[in-house]
Amino acid sequence: MIDSSCHLPWKWLVVDAPRNKWRWCCKVNWQFDFKSEFNDKNLLLNQVKKEFINGQRPKACNVCWKEEDAGSASYRTLQARIDGVTTIDQLPPSAGLKFIDLIYGNLCNLRCASCNDLSSSQWASLLHQHPTKEYYWLNNKKSSYGLDFLSDKLLSVIEENLLSLTHINLYGGEPSRSEEHTSE
């Protein structure tokens, strides 16, 4: 039997600041209300952790299970190659978050190949030419930028995990771009 443990619910937090959403992995559904709902008592996150500890496959992580059942590598198994396989006896693998990915908007005048539509308004404008999909970031309002995304909640999460954090990744446009210097 292959161990189906995953350390990401303990180590990783992704926050979409403008939409006030969060998740513990890029493959799971967004959870609403980061400012009120993300804490150590969150029911869904605790249920997922409990199921992993009990050797079960959490339903919230069904994207990885579908990929693995189809014979493909999932994000969970790819991460295991990088970080080493996490077994049930290693959960929780660390005290505190190791990674925080912060999305704060998408205003950017670049189209870097390494980027995506959530992080670049230029990529989003190209995708807008293909109206078969709806994209939430395509609207008449500019994306937020600046330091407004640093809510008290986010700062407290960073402070609480300061000793364990190894990466804080910022996504959301070109960092030196500011409203005062924009003529769009």
Side-chain angles (χ1 to χ4, degrees):
M1 181 178 127
I2 297 172
D3 194 326
S4 61
S5 300
C6 182
H7 62 267
L8 294 178
W10 284 271
K11 288 185 170 182
W12 195 10
L13 171 64
V14 182
V15 179
D16 184 335
R19 296 191 306 155
N20 192 24
K21 293 183 178 185
W22 64 278
R23 57 187 177 182
W24 60 89
C25 171
C26 64
K27 298 277 187 157
V28 299
N29 291 330
W30 287 103
Q31 304 303 305
F32 295 95
D33 202 1
F34 166 74
K35 292 176 184 172
S36 299
E37 296 296 322
F38 179 77
N39 58 51
D40 59 352
K41 294 173 182 56
N42 181 274
L43 296 176
L44 177 61
L45 188 54
N46 282 334
Q47 180 64 31
V48 166
K49 289 178 180 180
K50 181 180 174 183
E51 289 174 10
F52 274 126
I53 288 171
N54 291 332
Q56 300 168 323
R57 289 177 153 197
K59 190 187 284 186
C61 301
N62 65 352
V63 172
C64 282
W65 311 134
K66 286 179 183 178
E67 290 171 350
E68 291 175 31
D69 291 343
S72 188
S74 70
Y75 191 74
R76 183 186 77 82
T77 57
L78 292 173
Q79 274 303 117
R81 288 183 195 163
I82 295 167
D83 296 334
V85 175
T86 302
T87 58
I88 291 172
D89 61 321
Q90 294 174 316
L91 296 176
S94 68
L97 295 170
K98 204 171 175 186
F99 309 97
I100 295 179
D101 288 351
L102 178 59
I103 302 166
Y104 62 92
N106 78 339
L107 182 62
C108 184
N109 58 340
L110 303 174
R111 279 190 284 248
C112 302
S114 61
C115 203
N116 63 45
D117 45 1
L118 292 174
S119 302
S120 166
S121 53
Q122 291 301 311
W123 276 124
S125 67
L126 282 178
L127 290 171
H128 190 265
Q129 297 170 15
H130 304 282
T132 56
K133 291 187 176 182
E134 261 186 58
Y135 299 98
Y136 74 86
W137 58 91
L138 298 175
N139 55 40
N140 294 327
K141 283 185 358 183
K142 288 183 181 178
S143 297
S144 63
Y145 43 85
L147 298 179
D148 296 343
F149 66 89
L150 289 173
S151 68
D152 290 341
K153 173 69 172 189
L154 182 58
L155 290 174
S156 71
V157 169
I158 291 170
E159 187 176 292
E160 290 166 13
N161 293 280
L162 207 49
L163 295 177
S164 60
L165 275 172
T166 59
H167 295 82
I168 298 177
N169 302 308
L170 298 176
Y171 301 94
E174 204 278 313
S176 65
R177 186 109 187 224
S178 69
E179 192 169 40
E180 302 86 52
H181 301 98
T182 304
S183 60
E184 298 173 320

